[in-house]
Amino acid sequence: MKELTLSKENIIKTDLLVFISCLLLSFLFLLIATKSSPLYPFNDWADANISFTMGKGMMNGKIPYRDLFDHKGPLFYLLFGVAYLISNTTFLGVFIFEVMSFSFFLFFSYKLFSLYLDRQSTLIALPLLAASVLNLNSFVQGGSSEEFCLPLVTVGLYHLVAYYKDIYPKPMPKKWVIINGLIAGIVLWIKFSLLGFWFGWMLSLFICLLLQKGIFLAIKSSFYFLSGMFITTLPWMVYFGVHQSIREWINSYFVINFTSYSKDTSIVSIIPSTIIGILSHVIENPIASGFMIFGFIVFLGYRKYSSNGFIKSSLILCFAFLSLSVFGGGRNYVYYFLIFSTLMIFFYIVLFTILCEKFGRISAQNTLYVLFFTLIATFFYTLGFNHNIYMIDEEKGDLVQYKYASIINQTKNATLLNYYVLDLGFYTTTGIVPNIRFFHNPNIEYSKYPLIMDEQN
């Protein structure tokens, strides 16, 4: 027993050291990759500013959807609200949350790598993975809901692969099922269109348990999963119930997204929309997409990675349903593809397996040198080629958001209307909390929801 306890202690210490390394790695790369970084004068991305304004409103007594309108999830706005408390007129708080989020993504990527690779290869793969993801066009400018859901998908991916590799045919640990139910609930209230991954996750587990263990255990596991989702939903039911705004919450987040934001789609058109959406991103990012697809196909095709049919079918179901939920609505923005960058993990598993088989494992003595070289190379690649780098040398005083803020804030208790377009950041730099519900004009056609522009006019 003593030996087992020491072993667990060593695992905890190792995991802690790895997480600290992931934290430092995340901080280093995100300093360059996200406009929320203190190195940048401002994050001028409209989506990030909308979320910041919604979060700021929450911290100042405004109720999302009822007092301020947008159509992402309330948990996403709460995250930006806490970031607002850290820094009222900058994205420093958002940057801190981005670093934490990406650290968890790297940490669970490390755990997934560790299922197939030796420790040396795993450590060297981390900076390569970080640079691969953060330099994608789909990372955009920093602060997207896809970015914050990336580690959540990775946790689900790790549990699924680890279960079929090391635990199957025993039932999945109840704790893992509940954790993924909680995670699915978190994603539900950040951006529900990303929930397809967990639909495939739970469906694949249900089918596996049904075939192997019978209907009772399959239903029991589904109950644990749904219980986790309910736990994350209950606080929002209480919050909106207390403020008598459940109707506005459901209407704005679900009804309007399905009827006004999504394009006119039918059951028949969902699959073509999904295929077109994926192909458009593959064409725009042929090299990165090629690596992802290659890694995923090889991982599924070789028994050394996928030792049974359930792991293959489960991963296919997860990413198939994720694709349907992301692209099936007919909308397609560049940042939608970021959630699929978890596929890059499979590429590096395959790549380092091939390298180790061909050239042998990297010795412990040489690991530090190779790791240092990899870190330097990937960092300078990010510094030289990241698509946000053009703005890093600009001064705050040269930006229209700060020029207008210096004028607007001369008026005591000034009000502001961001007319006809998305939130351009003026609410952020001025610190003004909007006094009208439709404080900006989201990407919703006038004919589908005319109330927005009618109210603004």
Side-chain angles (χ1 to χ4, degrees), residues 111-155:
K111 293 182 79 69
L112 194 46
F113 284 145
S114 298
L115 295 173
Y116 296 94
L117 304 175
D118 60 82
R119 183 169 296 177
Q120 292 93 319
S121 298
T122 297
L123 292 174
I124 293 166
L126 285 178
L128 290 169
L129 178 66
S132 299
V133 172
L134 294 180
N135 288 300
L136 289 171
N137 288 339
S138 53
F139 182 76
V140 198
Q141 298 169 69
S144 70
S145 49
E146 284 77 8
E147 179 186 351
F148 287 110
C149 288
L150 202 57
L152 304 178
V153 171
T154 311
V155 173

Side-chain angles (χ1 to χ4, degrees), residues 46-60:
D47 283 36
N49 281 281
I50 293 167
S51 301
F52 195 87
T53 303
M54 291 291 290
K56 174 168 60 179
M58 286 183 76
M59 298 300 110
N60 286 275

Side-chain angles (χ1 to χ4, degrees), residues 172-181 201 205 221 224-225:
M172 180 179 282
K174 181 174 71 173
K175 180 173 69 173
W176 287 10
V177 179
I178 295 172
I179 287 172
N180 278 275
W201 193 97
L205 183 62
S221 294
Y224 290 143
F225 184 86

